[in-house]
Amino acid sequence: MVSVNSSIFYHSTFVLSGLEENDPTHIWISILICSLYGVMAFGNGSILYIIKTEHSLHAPMYYFLSVLAVTDLALSMTTMPTMFSVFLLRSREIHIDACLCQVYFLNMLKVVESGVLLAMSVDRFIAIWNPLRYASILSKLMALRIGLFIALRAIVLILPEPFLDRRLPFCSNNVLTHSWCLHQDIIMLACADVKVHSYYGLFVVSVKMFDAVLVVLSYILILRVVLRIASQSERSKTLSTCISHIIAVILFYVPIILLSVLHRFSSVVPHVTHKVLAFILYLMPPLVNPIIYCIKTRQIREGYVHCFRKIKILWTFVSKCP
């Protein structure tokens, strides 16, 4: 759809890229995508259920993990409509307002996730540095305040973005390079000066990178504390409590850095590289985080075992009913 203004055609919709219409692998990728979203929903939903029902997990560390799971669920639900539209319904057109709404929630949720990962690293530092005062330093009330600050920071930080992008005219190409809307894609299609928008995007990325620096700093401090422990077995046991979080941090920040760098050299980098990194950035954390924390966190594993035992008992009771 286009509108006419002073003999210039302005687009009011974007076209999302996907596979070619007649690509024989289209149906298989559609099935894979549906399966991935099912795994995301089950993994993060089960994490939330286990933390809620297991009283031993009612601690700040697991509250932050709950926020991470909620963020991952919301992130997958934000990308799901356009992914299903492109790959299942073969409908690639999206109105500019819906596109900007998706951009806002994608970027806002990624800032929330960055803040949660930082909070979790601080939680690990306090637990290792001063375990006896852990409960008093990082109380439930303090964890709630940190969570509210993380959410408020993300909402305020990303709020100007859709209003800035909505003022841009799109009068030539309107085809986006991904299966969902991204801020970098939108401003590259604008037929106007986008310096302010580019600087704003860099500012948002710099906030995430500042979080990453603080995460690295917290782990440097953790390493200093761990090296003072005399027993090798105690060192390994202490560091093992951080493994799942370290993997989640790497999976989150490395694609952000690579995607930000590649967008500065978009003319010489193949589009498929951008698409792969975008998939990793927006789909992999919601998919992999529950698996990581299930494998590497003993309390979560025990929670799954307890949950499955309840299901087995319930199923046995139901099957014996006439």
Side-chain angles (χ1 to χ4, degrees), residues 35-69:
S35 302
L36 289 178
Y37 277 107
V39 173
M40 290 177 198
F42 173 77
N44 290 288
S46 60
I47 288 284
L48 290 172
Y49 175 78
I50 289 169
I51 292 175
K52 182 179 184 299
T53 56
E54 295 294 327
H55 293 287
S56 62
L57 301 181
H58 292 180
M61 172 185 175
Y62 299 104
Y63 290 151
F64 292 138
L65 182 56
S66 298
V67 177
L68 185 65

Short mmCIF file of all heavy atoms in Angstrom, two decimals, residues 35-69:
data_model
loop_
_atom_site.label_atom_id
_atom_site.label_comp_id
_atom_site.label_asym_id
_atom_site.label_seq_id
_atom_site.Cartn_x
_atom_site.Cartn_y
_atom_site.Cartn_z
N SER A 35 7.83 -26.23 15.85
CA SER A 35 8.41 -27.08 16.90
C SER A 35 9.27 -26.25 17.85
O SER A 35 9.21 -26.45 19.08
CB SER A 35 9.25 -28.19 16.26
OG SER A 35 8.48 -28.98 15.38
N LEU A 36 10.06 -25.33 17.30
CA LEU A 36 10.92 -24.50 18.14
C LEU A 36 10.10 -23.64 19.09
O LEU A 36 10.43 -23.51 20.28
CB LEU A 36 11.81 -23.61 17.27
CG LEU A 36 12.93 -24.32 16.50
CD1 LEU A 36 13.69 -23.31 15.64
CD2 LEU A 36 13.89 -25.02 17.44
N TYR A 37 9.01 -23.03 18.59
CA TYR A 37 8.18 -22.21 19.45
C TYR A 37 7.49 -23.06 20.52
O TYR A 37 7.29 -22.60 21.65
CB TYR A 37 7.15 -21.44 18.63
CG TYR A 37 7.71 -20.17 18.03
CD1 TYR A 37 7.99 -20.07 16.68
CD2 TYR A 37 7.97 -19.06 18.84
CE1 TYR A 37 8.51 -18.91 16.14
CE2 TYR A 37 8.49 -17.89 18.31
CZ TYR A 37 8.77 -17.82 16.95
OH TYR A 37 9.29 -16.67 16.42
N GLY A 38 7.15 -24.29 20.18
CA GLY A 38 6.58 -25.19 21.18
C GLY A 38 7.58 -25.50 22.28
O GLY A 38 7.22 -25.50 23.48
N VAL A 39 8.83 -25.75 21.90
CA VAL A 39 9.88 -26.03 22.89
C VAL A 39 10.14 -24.80 23.75
O VAL A 39 10.32 -24.91 24.98
CB VAL A 39 11.17 -26.48 22.18
CG1 VAL A 39 12.32 -26.60 23.17
CG2 VAL A 39 10.96 -27.82 21.47
N MET A 40 10.17 -23.61 23.13
CA MET A 40 10.37 -22.37 23.88
C MET A 40 9.28 -22.19 24.94
O MET A 40 9.56 -21.89 26.11
CB MET A 40 10.33 -21.16 22.94
CG MET A 40 11.51 -21.01 22.00
SD MET A 40 11.24 -19.58 20.93
CE MET A 40 12.41 -19.93 19.61
N ALA A 41 8.03 -22.38 24.53
CA ALA A 41 6.91 -22.19 25.45
C ALA A 41 6.96 -23.21 26.58
O ALA A 41 6.77 -22.85 27.76
CB ALA A 41 5.59 -22.30 24.69
N PHE A 42 7.22 -24.47 26.25
CA PHE A 42 7.28 -25.51 27.29
C PHE A 42 8.45 -25.28 28.24
O PHE A 42 8.29 -25.37 29.47
CB PHE A 42 7.40 -26.89 26.65
CG PHE A 42 7.63 -27.98 27.65
CD1 PHE A 42 6.58 -28.47 28.42
CD2 PHE A 42 8.90 -28.51 27.86
CE1 PHE A 42 6.79 -29.48 29.36
CE2 PHE A 42 9.12 -29.51 28.79
CZ PHE A 42 8.06 -29.99 29.55
N GLY A 43 9.63 -24.98 27.69
CA GLY A 43 10.83 -24.82 28.52
C GLY A 43 10.69 -23.67 29.50
O GLY A 43 10.90 -23.84 30.72
N ASN A 44 10.32 -22.49 29.01
CA ASN A 44 10.23 -21.33 29.89
C ASN A 44 9.00 -21.41 30.80
O ASN A 44 9.08 -21.00 31.96
CB ASN A 44 10.17 -20.04 29.04
CG ASN A 44 11.49 -19.74 28.36
OD1 ASN A 44 12.46 -19.34 29.01
ND2 ASN A 44 11.55 -19.93 27.06
N GLY A 45 7.90 -21.97 30.29
CA GLY A 45 6.72 -22.14 31.14
C GLY A 45 6.97 -23.11 32.28
O GLY A 45 6.54 -22.88 33.41
N SER A 46 7.69 -24.20 32.00
CA SER A 46 7.99 -25.18 33.05
C SER A 46 8.95 -24.61 34.09
O SER A 46 8.83 -24.90 35.28
CB SER A 46 8.56 -26.46 32.44
OG SER A 46 9.76 -26.19 31.73
N ILE A 47 9.90 -23.77 33.64
CA ILE A 47 10.81 -23.11 34.59
C ILE A 47 10.00 -22.25 35.56
O ILE A 47 10.21 -22.27 36.79
CB ILE A 47 11.84 -22.25 33.84
CG1 ILE A 47 12.87 -23.11 33.12
CG2 ILE A 47 12.54 -21.27 34.80
CD1 ILE A 47 13.93 -23.71 34.00
N LEU A 48 9.06 -21.48 35.03
CA LEU A 48 8.22 -20.63 35.87
C LEU A 48 7.38 -21.46 36.85
O LEU A 48 7.24 -21.11 38.03
CB LEU A 48 7.31 -19.76 35.00
CG LEU A 48 7.99 -18.65 34.20
CD1 LEU A 48 7.01 -18.01 33.23
CD2 LEU A 48 8.57 -17.60 35.13
N TYR A 49 6.82 -22.55 36.36
CA TYR A 49 5.97 -23.40 37.20
C TYR A 49 6.79 -24.02 38.33
O TYR A 49 6.35 -24.04 39.49
CB TYR A 49 5.33 -24.49 36.36
CG TYR A 49 4.53 -25.48 37.17
CD1 TYR A 49 3.26 -25.15 37.64
CD2 TYR A 49 5.06 -26.73 37.49
CE1 TYR A 49 2.52 -26.05 38.41
CE2 TYR A 49 4.33 -27.64 38.25
CZ TYR A 49 3.07 -27.30 38.71
OH TYR A 49 2.36 -28.18 39.46
N ILE A 50 7.97 -24.51 38.01
CA ILE A 50 8.81 -25.16 39.03
C ILE A 50 9.25 -24.16 40.09
O ILE A 50 9.20 -24.45 41.29
CB ILE A 50 10.03 -25.82 38.36
CG1 ILE A 50 9.58 -27.06 37.56
CG2 ILE A 50 11.08 -26.22 39.38
CD1 ILE A 50 10.65 -27.63 36.67
N ILE A 51 9.66 -22.97 39.67
CA ILE A 51 10.09 -21.96 40.64
C ILE A 51 8.92 -21.53 41.53
O ILE A 51 9.08 -21.28 42.72
CB ILE A 51 10.71 -20.75 39.92
CG1 ILE A 51 12.03 -21.16 39.26
CG2 ILE A 51 10.95 -19.59 40.88
CD1 ILE A 51 12.66 -20.09 38.41
N LYS A 52 7.72 -21.46 40.96
CA LYS A 52 6.54 -21.05 41.74
C LYS A 52 6.14 -22.12 42.75
O LYS A 52 5.75 -21.80 43.89
CB LYS A 52 5.37 -20.76 40.80
CG LYS A 52 4.10 -20.28 41.51
CD LYS A 52 3.00 -19.99 40.51
CE LYS A 52 1.77 -19.42 41.21
NZ LYS A 52 1.19 -20.34 42.20
N THR A 53 6.21 -23.39 42.36
CA THR A 53 5.70 -24.46 43.22
C THR A 53 6.73 -25.00 44.21
O THR A 53 6.35 -25.54 45.25
CB THR A 53 5.18 -25.63 42.35
OG1 THR A 53 6.22 -26.08 41.46
CG2 THR A 53 3.98 -25.18 41.53
N GLU A 54 8.03 -24.87 43.90
CA GLU A 54 9.06 -25.38 44.79
C GLU A 54 9.51 -24.27 45.75
O GLU A 54 10.14 -23.30 45.33
CB GLU A 54 10.26 -25.89 43.97
CG GLU A 54 9.96 -27.10 43.11
CD GLU A 54 9.64 -28.33 43.92
OE1 GLU A 54 10.21 -28.49 45.02
OE2 GLU A 54 8.82 -29.15 43.46
N HIS A 55 9.17 -24.39 47.02
CA HIS A 55 9.48 -23.34 48.00
C HIS A 55 10.98 -23.17 48.20
O HIS A 55 11.44 -22.09 48.59
CB HIS A 55 8.80 -23.66 49.33
CG HIS A 55 7.30 -23.58 49.28
ND1 HIS A 55 6.62 -22.39 49.19
CD2 HIS A 55 6.36 -24.56 49.25
CE1 HIS A 55 5.31 -22.63 49.15
NE2 HIS A 55 5.12 -23.94 49.18
N SER A 56 11.76 -24.21 47.94
CA SER A 56 13.21 -24.10 48.08
C SER A 56 13.82 -23.17 47.04
O SER A 56 14.97 -22.73 47.20
CB SER A 56 13.86 -25.49 47.98
OG SER A 56 13.60 -26.07 46.70
N LEU A 57 13.06 -22.86 46.00
CA LEU A 57 13.56 -21.98 44.93
C LEU A 57 13.07 -20.54 45.09
O LEU A 57 13.28 -19.73 44.19
CB LEU A 57 13.13 -22.52 43.56
CG LEU A 57 13.59 -23.94 43.22
CD1 LEU A 57 13.11 -24.33 41.82
CD2 LEU A 57 15.11 -24.06 43.30
N HIS A 58 12.44 -20.23 46.21
CA HIS A 58 11.97 -18.87 46.44
C HIS A 58 13.10 -18.03 47.01
O HIS A 58 13.13 -17.70 48.20
CB HIS A 58 10.75 -18.89 47.37
CG HIS A 58 9.54 -19.50 46.75
ND1 HIS A 58 8.34 -19.61 47.41
CD2 HIS A 58 9.35 -20.04 45.52
CE1 HIS A 58 7.46 -20.19 46.60
NE2 HIS A 58 8.05 -20.45 45.46
N ALA A 59 14.04 -17.72 46.14
CA ALA A 59 15.22 -16.92 46.50
C ALA A 59 15.51 -15.94 45.36
O ALA A 59 15.05 -16.15 44.23
CB ALA A 59 16.42 -17.84 46.74
N PRO A 60 16.24 -14.83 45.65
CA PRO A 60 16.49 -13.83 44.61
C PRO A 60 17.06 -14.39 43.31
O PRO A 60 16.66 -13.97 42.22
CB PRO A 60 17.49 -12.88 45.29
CG PRO A 60 17.14 -12.97 46.73
CD PRO A 60 16.74 -14.40 46.96
N MET A 61 17.98 -15.35 43.40
CA MET A 61 18.58 -15.91 42.19
C MET A 61 17.51 -16.48 41.26
O MET A 61 17.53 -16.26 40.05
CB MET A 61 19.57 -17.02 42.58
CG MET A 61 20.11 -17.79 41.39
SD MET A 61 21.15 -19.18 41.91
CE MET A 61 21.49 -19.96 40.33
N TYR A 62 16.54 -17.18 41.85
CA TYR A 62 15.50 -17.82 41.04
C TYR A 62 14.40 -16.83 40.67
O TYR A 62 13.69 -17.04 39.68
CB TYR A 62 14.94 -19.03 41.78
CG TYR A 62 16.02 -20.06 42.04
CD1 TYR A 62 16.58 -20.20 43.30
CD2 TYR A 62 16.50 -20.84 41.01
CE1 TYR A 62 17.60 -21.12 43.53
CE2 TYR A 62 17.52 -21.76 41.22
CZ TYR A 62 18.06 -21.89 42.48
OH TYR A 62 19.07 -22.79 42.70
N TYR A 63 14.24 -15.74 41.43
CA TYR A 63 13.34 -14.68 41.00
C TYR A 63 13.87 -14.04 39.71
O TYR A 63 13.10 -13.77 38.79
CB TYR A 63 13.20 -13.62 42.10
CG TYR A 63 12.43 -14.08 43.31
CD1 TYR A 63 12.68 -13.55 44.56
CD2 TYR A 63 11.44 -15.05 43.19
CE1 TYR A 63 11.97 -13.98 45.68
CE2 TYR A 63 10.72 -15.49 44.30
CZ TYR A 63 10.99 -14.94 45.54
OH TYR A 63 10.29 -15.37 46.63
N PHE A 64 15.17 -13.80 39.68
CA PHE A 64 15.76 -13.25 38.46
C PHE A 64 15.64 -14.23 37.29
O PHE A 64 15.40 -13.83 36.15
CB PHE A 64 17.23 -12.89 38.69
CG PHE A 64 17.45 -11.75 39.64
CD1 PHE A 64 18.45 -11.79 40.60
CD2 PHE A 64 16.66 -10.62 39.57
CE1 PHE A 64 18.65 -10.74 41.48
CE2 PHE A 64 16.84 -9.55 40.45
CZ PHE A 64 17.84 -9.62 41.41
N LEU A 65 15.79 -15.51 37.59
CA LEU A 65 15.62 -16.53 36.55
C LEU A 65 14.18 -16.54 36.05
O LEU A 65 13.93 -16.75 34.86
CB LEU A 65 16.01 -17.90 37.10
CG LEU A 65 15.93 -19.09 36.12
CD1 LEU A 65 16.76 -18.82 34.87
CD2 LEU A 65 16.38 -20.38 36.80
N SER A 66 13.21 -16.30 36.95
CA SER A 66 11.81 -16.20 36.54
C SER A 66 11.59 -15.03 35.60
O SER A 66 10.89 -15.16 34.58
CB SER A 66 10.91 -16.05 37.77
OG SER A 66 11.00 -17.16 38.61
N VAL A 67 12.19 -13.89 35.93
CA VAL A 67 12.08 -12.71 35.05
C VAL A 67 12.70 -13.01 33.69
O VAL A 67 12.15 -12.61 32.65
CB VAL A 67 12.74 -11.48 35.71
CG1 VAL A 67 12.68 -10.28 34.76
CG2 VAL A 67 12.06 -11.14 37.02
N LEU A 68 13.82 -13.72 33.69
CA LEU A 68 14.46 -14.10 32.43
C LEU A 68 13.54 -14.99 31.61
O LEU A 68 13.42 -14.83 30.39
CB LEU A 68 15.79 -14.81 32.71
CG LEU A 68 16.65 -15.17 31.49
CD1 LEU A 68 17.12 -13.92 30.77
CD2 LEU A 68 17.84 -16.02 31.90
N ALA A 69 12.88 -15.94 32.27
CA ALA A 69 11.97 -16.85 31.57
C ALA A 69 10.77 -16.09 31.01
O ALA A 69 10.33 -16.33 29.88
CB ALA A 69 11.51 -17.96 32.50
#
